[in-house]
Amino acid sequence: MQYFEDIEVGWTAAFGSYAVTREEVMDFAAKYDPQPFHLSDAAAAQTHFGRLSASGWHTCAMVMSMVVANLKENQQAGLGSPGIDELKWVKPVYPGDTLR
């Protein structure tokens, strides 16, 4: 069991990997973030992305699934989340990428 006080400043962890698929990018975008560059190759080609890219919110959801999978494998005493103070999408996520 891991407790908050067991975590040292600077500690890092690897939470496995997540393969990003074109179908999932388009399905998520169609439902939650239907901007053209998440749905159309032609529209995406006209943006700074240059090609179809995942929604930032989809990226957050994929990372959250990795965090939860890690929590299932590595028991922790904490419940809930302290929240997010800052979020930046500094690099696009594309179909075919693997998040780590």
Side-chain angles (χ1 to χ4, degrees):
M1 176 75 66
Q2 183 182 38
Y3 295 89
F4 180 76
E5 55 270 15
D6 297 331
I7 301 171
E8 295 181 25
V9 173
W11 173 80
T12 62
F15 293 169
S17 63
Y18 192 101
V20 182
T21 68
R22 177 181 178 80
E23 180 181 46
E24 187 178 9
V25 165
M26 294 180 78
D27 288 348
F28 184 96
K31 189 168 184 178
Y32 300 109
D33 191 357
Q35 297 182 76
F37 52 89
H38 296 315
L39 296 168
S40 161
D41 291 312
Q46 301 303 312
T47 69
H48 64 279
F49 297 117
R51 60 187 169 124
L52 194 73
S53 63
S55 164
W57 299 113
H58 185 199
T59 302
C60 290
M62 290 183 279
V63 170
M64 187 67 200
S65 74
M66 293 168 60
V67 169
V68 171
N70 181 66
L71 290 173
K72 288 179 180 178
E73 291 181 21
N74 301 291
Q75 204 171 27
Q76 296 183 6
L79 297 173
S81 169
I84 296 174
D85 291 330
E86 185 175 332
L87 173 64
K88 293 181 182 181
W89 294 297
V90 296
K91 185 176 179 185
V93 173
Y94 298 109
D97 286 352
T98 300
L99 303 180
R100 291 182 175 75

